[in-house]
Amino acid sequence: MGGLTDINHYNMINISEVLETNRMVEQENLDVRTITMGISLLDCADSDLDKTCQNIYNKITSYAKNLVATGEEISREFAIPIVNKRISITPAAIVGSACCKTPKDFVKIAQTLDSAAKEVGVNFLGGFSAIVAKGMTPADELLMRSIPEAMATTERLCSSINVGSTKTGINMDAVKLMGEIIKETAEATKENGSMGCAKLVVLCNAPDDNPFMAGAFHGVSEPDAVINVGVSGPGVVKYVLEQMDENAKGGLANFETLCETIKKTSFKITRVGQLVAQEASARLGIPFGIIDLSLAPTPAVGDSVGDILKCIGVEEPGAPGTTAALALLNDQVKKGGVMASSYVGGLSGAFIPVSEDKGMIDAVNLGALTIEKLEAMTCVCSVGLDMIAIPGDTSAATISGIIADEAAIGMVNQKTTAVRIIPVVGQKVGDTVEFGGLLGYAPIMPVNPFRCDRLVNRGGRIPAPIHSFKN
């Protein structure tokens, strides 16, 4: 704990808060979920594919060579678990646009990125991405078509495609293509539970500074390199809400007390992330970017956003009142986080991935939680339909329709939404698929059987909403 002598230097945490933080770590599953180094690869682009790949490998292994060791060092000194060390890069469709003429060329870039990630020892590398909200360049489409093979031949690579935004509308050609690509990726990785789809996300209004996978990429507005930190503490919030009601008259605190409790707890959690971010930035000599306070659950018991919703007052996630409870939670998390750091960004709020959250898994198995209710919840949470396993025979058009629905929610509500959906080859409703680690396990959820092919096949772009004209 020697590093605690330096805390006053940052004016972030006093000694009583350190003791409280230790309790959060030891008893309530508080962790820094990730230190993510964003690296610009714009200067790696070359008309020669081999040269581009060499430039990419050299830059990543140079900039991130000490990332893992530094994260482990900070974790030991401050007694704060840092679960993942990750890298995000400039969207690969941009970097490879001059040298990639076929999908196979982008697969070679994907494999180079994966090799660099293995060399520096990070858990994941995100940014095998394309931004196609208004249209696709030839390079964008080549990258998208390379995704199935790229996901099948790499281990640590994550891919994301941004198909819409409030400013531009929704690129339905890209939405249709991504339904097909998700199906192909599921088939290409069927020997591993269609795992490739767990590392592939389709977004609307994707942020440039998100440290969480699979949607992380290093936006073109970012500096050459940056440190972004994601903090997670659903177990901490659950614990304080349980204590709040135990101490309340009649065993039920009112909404004012509830909101203040969540907000103050989020503030404390974010301060831990601020400390880690500043330390990592100083030791690595890389500018500090943002703190992303996202209540990102794990499959561990007691580390569930679903359980927080039960503490707020619903019998199971999915019951009437669930969307209101989630809206309250998300808002108070953001308010507390914004007060704790000058640079809060990324997604920040509450995540509701099914496979990664024991409370959500239980709610699905009980029949309380359906895809339709999850879609309603995504209107007020930080991401969208996340880590949802569906039958392997679900059509590409149906998947595209689900993506379009989520993108519409993000576009109209000026928020980030996403779809990370896994059509598990050979599995049907009632089966369970194991992903392992933080990705957890998931029951196969039923999908509405009525079709949307005519919608998906129209082509073109859904226009931006009227309230997008703000300039």
Side-chain angles (χ1 to χ4, degrees), residues 2 27 33 102 109 176 220 240 291 303 307 384:
Q27 301 176 19
R33 185 57 51 85
T102 68
I109 287 181
K176 178 184 178 182
V220 296
V240 297
I291 300 292
D303 201 27
D307 286 347

Side-chain angles (χ1 to χ4, degrees), residues 273-463:
Q274 178 83 1
L275 172 66
V276 169
Q278 288 177 315
E279 277 287 343
S281 173
R283 297 183 189 196
L284 291 166
I286 301 291
F288 162 50
I290 57 96
I291 300 292
D292 184 329
L293 171 61
S294 290
L295 297 184
T298 71
V301 174
D303 201 27
S304 161
V305 170
D307 286 347
I308 296 175
L309 299 177
K310 292 167 71 172
C311 287
I312 292 173
V314 298
E315 183 179 5
E316 289 290 339
T322 297
T323 305
L326 183 59
L328 179 155
L329 173 63
N330 209 55
D331 184 53
Q332 299 308 311
V333 166
K334 289 178 184 289
K335 286 174 178 173
V338 165
M339 288 297 293
S341 172
S342 298
Y343 301 103
V344 173
L347 297 163
S348 289
F351 287 7
I352 52 170
V354 173
S355 80
E356 300 172 20
D357 188 312
K358 183 66 166 59
M360 295 290 185
I361 295 167
D362 291 345
V364 171
N365 286 329
L366 288 168
L369 192 59
T370 64
I371 289 180
E372 287 74 20
K373 184 60 177 179
L374 280 164
E375 182 182 308
M377 292 164 67
T378 64
C379 297
V380 298
C381 81
S382 283
V383 194
L385 294 172
D386 198 16
M387 288 303 292
I388 294 172
I390 60 174
D393 61 0
T394 305
S395 72
T398 294
I399 293 170
S400 294
I402 292 170
I403 293 169
D405 284 342
E406 270 304 294
I409 289 171
M411 175 184 71
V412 172
N413 291 289
Q414 304 177 68
K415 70 183 293 295
T416 303
T417 50
V419 173
R420 187 162 47 146
I421 197 164
I422 304 139
V424 185
V425 175
Q427 298 273 21
K428 61 185 185 302
V429 174
D431 293 336
T432 298
V433 58
E434 294 276 351
F435 298 118
L438 287 176
L439 297 177
Y441 63 99
I444 306 297
M445 298 182 70
V447 175
N448 191 309
F450 294 91
R451 301 187 68 88
C452 60
D453 299 56
R454 289 185 69 199
L455 171 79
V456 170
N457 289 328
R458 287 187 182 276
R461 181 158 51 97
I462 294 177

Side-chain angles (χ1 to χ4, degrees), residues 209-261:
D209 55 5
N210 164 30
F212 285 98
M213 300 297 169
F217 62 84
H218 187 73
V220 296
S221 63
E222 297 285 303
D224 195 44
V226 70
I227 293 292
N228 297 321
V229 167
V231 188
S232 181
V236 180
V237 176
K238 174 178 179 284
Y239 175 82
V240 297
L241 292 185
E242 289 172 339
Q243 298 302 304
M244 172 197 71
D245 277 341
E246 285 180 13
N247 296 328
K249 292 181 180 179
L252 200 62
N254 62 23
F255 278 109
E256 181 181 358
T257 303
L258 176 69
C259 291
E260 284 298 306
T261 301

